[in-house]
Amino acid sequence: MLARLTFATALLAAPAFADGHLAASGDAEAGESAFRQCQSCHVVENADGEVLAGRAAKTGPNLYGVVGRAYGAVEDFRYSDIIVAAGEGGAIFDEASFVAYVQDPTPHLQEVTGDNGRGKMSYKVRKEEDALNLYAFLAQFSDGADATN
């Protein structure tokens, strides 16, 4: 039931994504500080190859354009089957889904898909405030019109 609610929420939010505008309620500056925990695996690198945040780590996917992007959608990145299934089912990273995912990745993916698979991300953001701030920080790194990077 909750998976359907999450999917329905994403569908209702679709007009916001079409505009390239995804509201962030967190503090981007605080999110930059929180991102230090993420940069050992993730980078934010634009299409020109410029590293905007992080240290060029490649264990996790590039987070440039993650806001509004379908789950498991970075080309040539080897995702777990369950996150790919979530993306194919229509799950996208808006604020609510991003926060839920980073706080408890595998159970969130299981809830969204109804599958018993496991995600690859083992790190969990402990505080919801930190997750909201991370989302606000990463929201700065989208092309707006091209939120599917």
Side-chain angles (χ1 to χ4, degrees), residues 97-122:
S97 64
F98 177 87
V99 168
Y101 175 75
V102 299
Q103 287 195 277
D104 212 356
T106 291
H108 172 72
L109 292 171
Q110 291 172 343
E111 183 177 297
V112 168
T113 63
D115 293 339
N116 288 326
R118 297 196 51 79
K120 289 184 176 182
M121 190 167 108
S122 59

Side-chain angles (χ1 to χ4, degrees), residues 25-58:
S25 64
D27 177 343
E29 189 174 318
E32 181 175 11
S33 178
F35 186 73
R36 290 185 189 123
Q37 298 296 315
C38 308
Q39 68 184 2
S40 61
C41 295
H42 295 280
V43 66
V44 178
E45 182 179 324
N46 67 17
D48 295 329
E50 181 183 3
V51 174
L52 306 171
R55 293 185 238 142
K58 301 286 183 176

Side-chain angles (χ1 to χ4, degrees), residues 6-23 65-70 90-97 135 142-148:
T6 302
F7 183 69
T9 301
L11 289 177
L12 292 173
F17 298 111
D19 292 341
H21 174 71
L22 297 167
V66 69
V67 170
R69 180 167 65 205
I92 49 115
F93 285 111
D94 61 9
E95 186 174 67
S97 64
Y135 180 84
S142 285
D143 291 336
D146 187 20
T148 58

